[in-house]
Amino acid sequence: MKKIAVLTSGGDAPGMNAAVRAVVRKAIYEGLEIAGVFNGYQGLIEGKIELLELGSVGDIIQRGGTMLRSARSAEFRTLEGRKKALSQLQKNGIEGLVVIGGDGSFKGAQELTALGLPCVCVPATIDNDINGTEFTIGFDTALNTVIDAIDKIRDTATSHERTFIIEVMGRNAGDLALWTGLAGGAETILIPEQKYEIPDIIERLKSGSGRGKKHSIIIVAEGVMSAPELAEILKREANIETHSSVLGHIQRGGSPSARDRVIASQYGAKAVEVLKEGRGGIAIGMQKHVVVDYNLTDVFEQSNSLDVAMYKLSKELSI
Ligand code: F6P
């Protein structure tokens, strides 16, 4: 392989820039030409491709977002769209592609690989929901952003003796809610992977206040329901007053944590090594603290599993 390209796709995640930097620098270190595709798969279809140099990725390791921009492309989901994308790559002499994104982006990469263009995927999403890797880029930064918000909300919850419901992102996954709930000392955590009963939530709130607890924090993953919906239910079922806080896209922004910068650098460099060996249809990830590569098909064969022991622990510690 002499020339490869890199793109970021789907919802952005802090650390994507660090991954782009690693891909560009490692490719040049290995003697490859490296192009950046702007605006994700949609930009690929439209031929938004530029050659990148060492200096193109200077001063970005500490920045949130993605210098390559990101997009969700409906056109790329069609075979016609993917063929257009492929011909843009061929026109530019690109023989391999690094895709930085979440599972939707991985699916696109798998299909592009099937059309004959080797793709290697780097997991980057705050949802931490990609099968086969323990950590995705952006998850650690989002955790810290949410923890900061929980701590602040807890201050005012204590002062006013209130119960707060904090809604966090994660799409259909509960990792962000579970980790932040545990780290933030939440009294209740609701995640899509675990069944919950409204009477149990009410019971926990009542027994807490019976013991003299003056405030409570409930973390609800967006994949379960919205914070205002839960507030409505608690009011209706038990006349419990709560305040809702929906953290929203603040969770996707900000300067990446040191940990996200490190794994982004490792994953990006590993992706280039794999492509240089001429291998495609591969995902990069972390298993037992080691950076690994594995078949993209593994990502889709089973759903991402939740750490059930951690969920159990969070319940034990918040009695
Ligand atoms: O996948 C990242 C994520 O932030 C999810 O947590 C959330 O459900 C979704 O993207 C929001 O997408 P958008 O920014 O397109 O509204």
Side-chain angles (χ1 to χ4, degrees), residues 193-252:
E193 296 89 342
Q194 293 287 323
K195 269 181 61 185
Y196 66 91
E197 303 288 344
I198 294 294
D200 286 350
I201 303 172
I202 293 169
E203 181 46 40
R204 285 170 81 86
L205 288 171
K206 284 191 171 159
S207 79
S209 74
R211 287 196 335 267
K213 212 168 194 170
K214 298 293 185 210
H215 70 275
S216 267
I217 302 283
I218 300 173
I219 302 289
V220 60
E222 65 174 351
V224 175
M225 70 176 105
S226 73
E229 270 175 297
L230 181 58
E232 230 270 321
I233 293 171
L234 293 176
K235 174 76 183 154
R236 193 179 60 229
E237 302 287 317
N239 203 26
I240 294 175
E241 291 289 348
T242 58
H243 283 67
S244 296
S245 187
V246 180
L247 299 185
H249 285 79
I250 193 171
Q251 294 162 97
R252 289 232 300 256

Side-chain angles (χ1 to χ4, degrees), residues 14-206:
M16 274 184 163
N17 273 329
V20 171
R21 171 182 179 272
V23 170
V24 171
R25 297 261 165 107
K26 178 72 171 173
I28 294 171
Y29 176 82
E30 295 290 347
L32 300 170
E33 273 195 296
I34 173 82
V37 178
F38 289 79
N39 302 97
Y41 288 123
Q42 192 55 40
L44 182 54
I45 290 169
E46 292 163 14
K48 293 183 177 167
I49 301 171
E50 277 175 29
L51 211 55
L52 299 175
E53 307 293 341
L54 288 173
S56 316
V57 291
D59 197 28
I60 64 165
I61 195 167
Q62 78 283 17
R63 295 188 198 285
T66 161
M67 66 162 267
L68 292 178
R69 311 286 179 254
S70 194
R72 301 191 197 273
S73 170
E75 195 178 355
F76 190 77
R77 286 198 209 107
T78 66
L79 180 61
E80 202 190 326
R82 290 195 292 278
K83 283 187 174 161
K84 276 193 209 164
L86 183 67
S87 78
Q88 290 287 3
L89 289 164
Q90 288 165 339
K91 201 169 86 184
N92 284 274
I94 292 162
E95 299 158 288
L97 179 67
V98 177
V99 172
I100 302 169
D103 57 357
S105 314
F106 280 29
K107 192 104 212 136
Q110 191 182 35
E111 278 158 353
L112 211 47
T113 303
L115 289 179
L117 195 282
C119 295
V120 176
C121 296
V122 170
T125 162
I126 63 162
D127 303 338
N128 203 39
D129 61 348
I130 296 184
N131 200 34
T133 184
E134 285 148 14
F135 292 105
T136 57
I137 297 165
F139 178 59
D140 185 64
T141 308
L143 280 182
N144 286 296
T145 302
V146 175
I147 286 300
D148 183 53
I150 294 175
D151 290 350
K152 286 176 174 148
I153 289 172
R154 197 180 275 286
D155 286 346
T156 176
T158 313
S159 306
H160 289 267
E161 303 186 346
R162 285 172 171 166
T163 294
F164 270 83
I165 304 173
I166 304 175
E167 178 188 323
V168 305
M169 279 186 167
R171 204 179 292 272
N172 301 315
D175 272 37
L176 194 54
L178 177 56
W179 283 63
T180 53
L182 180 60
E187 278 71 20
T188 299
I189 303 169
L190 300 187
I191 53 175
E193 296 89 342
Q194 293 287 323
K195 269 181 61 185
Y196 66 91
E197 303 288 344
I198 294 294
D200 286 350
I201 303 172
I202 293 169
E203 181 46 40
R204 285 170 81 86
L205 288 171
K206 284 191 171 159

